[in-house]
Amino acid sequence: MTQPPVTAFVLQDMLRIVDDKEDMLNFIKGQIDKVYDNHVYFYENRNPQNEGLVYIYHNWESGTDNSPVWDDIWDTMNPPEYTFERKDTTHVDASQRPSKREYDHYLYIIDVAKQNNYDDAKIAELSPFLVQDPLFNAMLIKSNKALMELYELFGGNEDKIAYLRKNQERSITAFNQKLWDTELGAYVHYDMRNDKPIRHVSSSSFSPLFAGIPSKERAEVLVNTMMDRFGGDDKYLCASFDPTDNRFNPKKYWRGPVWINMNWMLYRGLKEYGYKEIAARVKNDSIELVERDGFFEYFDCRKDTGEEIRKGYGGDNFSWTAALLIDLLKG
């Protein structure tokens, strides 16, 4: 099991931030081939149709664990009821976490992988969960670009750069052809097992802005969708799931709350496409949420909940909220 491939652009950002560039370049030089091998793994083992879009076989690989997007897949499954002890609900309100039945689905698709010795070809053939995720693929595309640029700093890596460039072009083309939903005006997930798009809008739908995937014309449509559905005056940007959808829940993990890691990416993507005012709102909303609630893992997107006590959810003193807020303040 893996997670969205962010390492290459993180290394590039570390180089941007540090004072001792030479030391950081030496560190990157020692790690870069490992990152390249990770990208090769995805293209050679998670790309069964050779179209440049890689699959995930578990919702945990997406980083958006209990998104309502997955409900469509759970509806096609009937896993056994497992017996297990929950640790998460000992320190987080159970109403903010996935249900016991959701975890039955999570464990079942792990069992499918285990029973097939984690063989990617077998998983592609048999797993009931097989998804091309716009967030995961956008992170791969973003990291491809960073990896090529880092290799160019060192020179003598023409074959690796050529491999990445070939797959990058294929990935971006397939991404725009297969994951774009014209009616929704957004990128969506694709359910490979049932051969159909999963037609819901989430914060993952906007992550391609960070990776430079949409054309300027399509970016405009995408930003309009974000503001129409997510950008009401009564809400902070950017909810993790469409507030106009009946599956939206502003308190429950990836079913609606704001996540600073997603806002960090959206801020930078919006700036890159020239949407400076909306980028500034994402930045200011992120700052205000932390000022309002503290350094929580995720936050209620509603500006006025009508509740006497308002606070963030999940873990407190959360390191990525703190780290990314520092970067937002500097940027």
Side-chain angles (χ1 to χ4, degrees):
M1 193 176 294
T2 185
Q3 293 252 311
V6 303
T7 309
F9 72 75
V10 169
L11 287 172
Q12 191 175 51
D13 264 4
M14 290 168 68
L15 181 61
R16 170 180 63 87
I17 291 166
V18 298
D19 294 326
D20 191 339
K21 304 295 184 187
E22 183 178 355
D23 181 65
M24 189 65 217
L25 282 169
N26 287 333
F27 174 76
I28 292 172
K29 195 169 185 177
Q31 307 300 321
I32 192 169
D33 287 343
K34 300 174 187 177
V35 183
Y36 173 83
D37 289 344
N38 181 239
H39 289 219
V40 171
Y41 162 75
F42 287 125
Y43 282 119
E44 301 302 322
N45 297 280
R46 297 287 191 98
N47 180 30
Q49 298 175 358
N50 199 32
E51 59 187 330
L53 292 175
V54 305
Y55 73 74
I56 57 173
Y57 72 80
H58 200 290
N59 49 301
W60 286 341
E61 293 192 306
S62 70
T64 59
D65 299 17
N66 71 323
S67 171
V69 170
W70 315 131
D71 293 359
D72 289 16
I73 299 176
W74 308 148
D75 287 345
T76 71
M77 296 168 53
N78 186 28
E81 293 194 13
Y82 291 86
T83 300
F84 53 87
E85 182 182 356
R86 293 281 293 270
K87 297 289 188 181
D88 57 332
T89 51
T90 63
H91 62 276
V92 176
D93 187 333
S95 68
Q96 300 167 20
R97 295 289 299 167
S99 67
K100 162 66 170 61
R101 189 55 178 157
E102 284 177 292
Y103 269 97
D104 288 337
H105 290 86
Y106 304 169
L107 293 175
Y108 177 70
I109 51 182
I110 291 174
D111 275 351
V112 172
K114 287 170 65 176
Q115 289 160 10
N116 290 280
N117 297 313
Y118 294 94
D119 181 287
D120 291 296
K122 283 290 186 182
I123 289 170
E125 178 186 351
L126 300 171
S127 177
F129 188 107
L130 205 72
V131 174
Q132 290 164 328
D133 174 12
L135 174 60
F136 195 99
N137 279 276
M139 296 304 93
L140 180 58
I141 288 167
K142 178 70 172 180
S143 279
N144 281 340
K145 182 175 184 292
L147 199 54
M148 287 187 282
E149 290 173 353
L150 290 171
Y151 268 132
E152 286 168 358
L153 290 177
F154 301 123
N157 296 285
E158 289 80 7
D159 290 346
K160 290 177 179 176
I161 293 171
Y163 178 88
L164 291 166
R165 183 175 293 114
K166 177 188 69 175
N167 283 288
Q168 182 80 324
E169 292 170 357
R170 186 178 295 162
S171 292
I172 292 173
T173 298
F175 199 112
N176 278 308
Q177 289 178 349
K178 190 172 186 179
L179 303 187
W180 178 253
D181 189 304
T182 301
E183 185 178 345
L184 289 176
Y187 294 96
V188 298
H189 299 69
Y190 195 88
D191 179 354
M192 296 182 74
R193 174 58 59 236
N194 297 292
D195 196 22
K196 63 179 183 180
I198 306 175
R199 303 189 65 247
H200 296 283
V201 184
S202 67
S203 55
S204 297
S205 300
F206 310 123
S207 62
L209 293 167
F210 178 58
I213 292 168
S215 65
K216 287 185 177 180
E217 294 76 16
R218 184 164 285 180
E220 183 176 2
V221 175
L222 189 60
V223 172
N224 286 340
T225 299
M226 181 173 70
M227 297 308 294
D228 288 346
R229 291 174 177 262
F230 295 67
D233 292 339
D234 61 335
K235 292 184 175 63
Y236 294 100
L237 286 173
C238 177
S240 50
F241 191 71
D242 183 358
T244 69
D245 193 298
N246 60 13
R247 298 181 183 182
F248 170 75
N249 184 327
K251 292 185 176 183
K252 198 165 186 180
Y253 213 40
W254 285 97
R255 302 185 76 88
V258 174
W259 292 71
I260 301 301
N261 52 351
M262 292 300 297
N263 273 11
W264 178 83
M265 289 188 286
L266 289 177
Y267 168 71
R268 295 178 68 177
L270 288 162
K271 275 182 64 177
E272 191 67 27
Y273 277 91
Y275 294 95
K276 294 183 180 179
E277 289 186 8
I278 301 174
R281 177 176 165 186
V282 171
K283 176 179 177 176
N284 292 333
D285 282 0
S286 300
I287 295 168
E288 188 174 329
L289 283 166
V290 174
E291 288 179 335
R292 186 189 77 176
D293 299 333
F295 290 97
F296 278 86
E297 185 178 1
Y298 46 100
F299 301 85
D300 198 313
C301 70
R302 296 171 295 174
K303 289 191 175 180
D304 183 3
T305 64
E307 299 173 7
E308 187 174 339
I309 298 175
R310 295 182 297 181
K311 67 173 187 175
Y313 306 125
D316 193 0
N317 295 321
F318 213 73
S319 59
W320 78 33
T321 300
L324 295 176
L325 183 71
I326 290 170
D327 198 61
L328 284 170
L329 290 170
K330 289 185 174 183

